[in-house]
Amino acid sequence: MQATIEEAKKGFKEGGIPIGSVIVHDGKIIGRGHNKRIQCGSVVLHGEMDALENAGRLPASVYKNSTLYTTLSPCPMCTGAILLYGIKKVVIGENKTFLGSEELLAKNGVEVIVLDNQECKDLMSDFIKRYPILWNEDIGV
């Protein structure tokens, strides 16, 4: 989880939304990323999507035997990518500031673990208070 928090902080320092993600396979990080919607002018570069992009083209078996870590509950778009690539375990830093599609993940056999991490909650709470317009844009409001 610490690597996801580092990614979130990196994104914030770049002027973006503080959400980070890593993908772990056989105990090693194979992809890491953070929300880059603002930095890249992208509609899809959420933290999870950036981590998948940075992991690159890998055999389906690698993704199916990987764990995705994210600082924030995955939105419907990121949930779709998790399901598409068959990732079986998702570890979430927090889901209080935003509750994504965890129920859909669980209904599709994905093990969902929510850590209720205070640092993750503080990062998002502070960002949402300071930049509500950017946050609402990120979640499609």
Side-chain angles (χ1 to χ4, degrees):
M1 185 52 61
Q2 192 56 44
T4 66
I5 293 170
E6 290 168 13
E7 285 292 327
K9 289 177 178 179
K10 182 178 179 182
F12 183 69
K13 285 179 185 171
E14 294 172 355
I17 298 167
I19 303 169
S21 183
V22 299
I23 302 166
V24 175
H25 181 261
D26 286 340
K28 295 179 183 168
I29 295 174
I30 61 169
R32 59 173 56 231
H34 52 273
N35 188 303
K36 292 182 181 168
R37 290 187 67 256
I38 295 166
Q39 300 93 309
C40 295
S42 171
V43 298
V44 297
L45 274 181
H46 284 190
E48 299 90 339
M49 302 298 276
D50 191 40
L52 283 163
E53 177 71 15
N54 291 327
R57 283 183 58 202
L58 297 168
S61 61
V62 172
Y63 287 112
K64 287 179 187 212
N65 291 299
S66 295
T67 299
L68 184 138
Y69 292 80
T70 181
T71 55
L72 187 64
S73 184
C75 75
M77 174 181 67
C78 296
T79 293
I82 291 163
L83 295 174
L84 177 67
Y85 289 100
I87 296 170
K88 299 292 183 206
K89 185 175 180 180
V90 175
V91 180
I92 299 166
E94 69 100 353
N95 63 2
K96 301 295 186 242
T97 59
F98 177 78
L99 179 59
S101 299
E102 294 171 28
E103 188 176 320
L104 181 59
L105 288 170
K107 282 183 179 179
N108 282 276
V110 177
E111 180 184 0
V112 177
I113 299 169
V114 180
L115 301 177
D116 199 30
N117 179 283
Q118 190 61 48
E119 189 171 9
C120 292
K121 287 191 281 191
D122 290 345
L123 281 168
M124 284 312 302
S125 294
D126 292 345
F127 181 84
I128 292 167
K129 284 178 196 167
R130 291 172 67 185
Y131 304 101
I133 293 171
L134 290 177
W135 172 242
N136 286 333
E137 176 188 321
D138 196 62
I139 59 171
V141 175

